[in-house]
Amino acid sequence: MKEDKSLKPSPKPNASWAFEVEKINAWAYWDQAFTPEECQKIIDYANGFKKIDAGVSNKGELNNEIRESKVVWITPDSDINWVYQRMTDVITKLNADYFNFDLFGFTEGFQFTEYNAPSGHYGKHVDSMFNGTVRKLSFVLQLSDAKDYEGGELQIHLSDKPEVMKKEQGTLIAFPSPTLHEVTPITEGRRYSLVGWITGKPFK
């Protein structure tokens, strides 16, 4: 009897042929997004405002075991619009090259954050919110010179071993907002950073 090859089962019954591969990276860098002088200008601007203790929820609840830092919210005005424009240019390019998210823009202010020794930190968390703004992409701008502090590492958790992000002054790190990450305790000195979130339509 002749074998009917048309009825032979596929050796890979679960095989698929995707039309297009999803282009989402775990994170991306932009080295020297801001010069040291520009970083200092941002620090000086933010230090002109009163800082508040950072909260851990939409309601601003304080919990030093989870998060210990001080923040200032920076919104667009004539003295800081140049930062917003630079961020727009950098984020637009990084998103096109590494994430390909459908983004609106910055619908929340930038968060200037100060971590102080011996225990400033922010434990493991994600930036995405339930029943809130649709944060798709997060960024952290390293404002301080890495020689000015010890510890205070931005770490991204994708497996048992965390990925340690660059600390060089002026480096911008971007990553999807649902990504688990933390800032480890700072043991010496002071660390300044600028944090923000880029929003878009709800994921489907």
Side-chain angles (χ1 to χ4, degrees), residues 30-47:
W30 191 295
D31 290 321
Q32 299 177 352
F34 289 78
T35 67
E37 293 77 18
E38 290 171 333
C39 289
Q40 188 59 53
K41 188 175 180 180
I42 296 170
I43 293 170
D44 292 341
Y45 176 85
N47 279 335

Side-chain angles (χ1 to χ4, degrees), residues 101-119:
F101 288 147
D102 184 4
L103 301 176
F104 287 151
F106 304 113
T107 59
E108 302 175 80
F110 295 160
Q111 189 180 90
F112 175 84
T113 308
E114 175 185 296
Y115 294 95
N116 291 297
S119 54

